[in-house]
Amino acid sequence: MRIPTSPFSAGGEVTALNPATAEPVAAVRLAGLAETDAAIERAHRAFPAWREVAPAARARLLRNFAAVVDEHLEELARLEVANAGHTIGNARWEAGNVRDVLTYYSAAPERHFGRQIPVSGGLDVTFHEPLGVVGIIVPWNFPMPIAGWGFAPALAAGNTVVLKPAELTPLTAMRLGELAHEAGLPEGVFTVIPGKGSVVGERFVTNPLVRKVCFTGSTEVGKGIMRGCADQVKRVTLELGGKSANIVFADADLERAAASAPGGAFDNAGQDCCARSRILVEHTVFERFLDLLRPAVEGFRVADPTLPDTEMGPLISARQRDSVTAHLDGADVAITGRTVGDSEGFWLAPRVVLPRGVQDPVWRHELFGPVVAVMPFTDEADAIAKANDTEYGLSGSIFTRDIGRALRVARGVESGNLSVNSHSSVRYWTPFGGFKQSGLGRELGPDAPDSFSEVKNVFIATDN
Ligand code: NAD
């Protein structure tokens, strides 16, 4: 496995650990403040030439980048298994997602057109102008996809990009930075800067050469970034936390709903902002649903993430495991899944808990771990009210055979991404983002390049 190297050093060093074993994978040198400013300055200097690259040529460079990622798919996936503890199946999907997102947005440079608007006395046209340098701040839970959802449309729209990976998981992003160079992206167009949030991340907010910050992470840090961006009226996209509801009606295919619920809650060890970490079950089938849920949770394969049929690996760190475990103290645990016994890694068995009411922290807090809370509801209105009784609004699921009800409830739940009889949240060609404190703006889908550009209106008089 090739370990990427950092050209920076002034910000000290972190040791990337393998979460499955707690053993070191690599030492990573971090950027300091002056190095960050210098990298932003290089991205700023690269911008005029990059925005002038002909649309077809920029498209070709992004397709090259996608092809190089594809050639290194297995390498990237194995690096992610080692650094983030993701299952090999998930990690392959994640590396493939970077390739697909690059391919999808490689079609944008030739299609990101403006409008011609009828006016008297001339011609009125709009242009999408790139912003300049875009700063992307990535969390540790999905290091590759979240990076790609930012850099691919930003580059396609003609911006240059500086990207800061999370301290715990910098390796795949650093490798993607190397691969971009190999694919022929000019110097300074895409720079990965490993570093601390308080140094590199904050500098993206305060350095005026960065014209937009695209942040994914905790709601608390996101709020600080939004406050900081206000000083310069800097553009900002936020993808933050979630506490999404999986609503199961009595008329649903209960076997299917119960069989899929662990995947909806425990995928990536529950460290997923879209995790369906609250299950609402119609009261008439509550006991039956729990009976069906038990074998699904107990059979959820928690094992060595390098094995192809593993469904859940370890948590990212001892700290994350301890924070989730603290919420289990005194909780009413109804079902406990499997775990890996004899390992130094950051393992935790999946749990199904019965909250003591809607104020119970296991029902309200985003735990970001393999814990799902189950509660009954009385009718459709009660289900919608309970689902919406949260500051978050990222995703959610509705299980029912009644199409009218599915649509009514989907419209009633205050959430950006809903799925009916499924837990699917993310397709790169459909929009993704949150209501309420789950975020601001949307990523992915056909409109993503718009959020990396400004609309300029030009009127040309013809009556001279
Ligand atoms: P975090 O907010 O601590 O860190 C996220 C990133 O921000 C990291 O790269 C970190 O270094 C950086 N950062 C930290 N402090 C900063 C600061 N003051 N200024 C600038 N950057 C700073 O979150 P985390 O612990 O890495 O990730 C877990 C959280 O992220 C969860 O709450 C989860 O719900 C959320 N999340 C949301 C989404 C989404 O798409 N909505 C996706 C992934 C994670």
Side-chain angles (χ1 to χ4, degrees), residues 137-141 146 164-167 195-198 201-202 215-219 221 225 239-242 273 366 368 394 432 438:
I137 302 174
V138 180
W140 47 257
N141 63 336
I146 292 172
K164 191 200 90 64
E167 292 89 323
K196 291 189 179 140
S198 56
E202 279 193 21
F215 171 81
T216 305
S218 60
T219 297
V221 174
I225 286 181
E239 298 287 359
L240 309 173
C273 48
E366 181 184 49
F368 232 50
L394 191 55
F432 175 75
S438 281

Side-chain angles (χ1 to χ4, degrees), residues 350-366:
R351 304 291 205 301
V352 176
V353 298
L354 302 177
R356 302 207 166 85
V358 293
Q359 296 308 324
D360 194 326
V362 295
W363 186 254
R364 299 211 81 78
H365 295 174
E366 181 184 49

Side-chain angles (χ1 to χ4, degrees), residues 12 75 110 127 139-140 142 198 208 259 299 325 350 380:
E75 177 200 330
E110 293 144 313
F127 296 90
W140 47 257
F142 289 108
S198 56
T325 311
E380 209 175 293

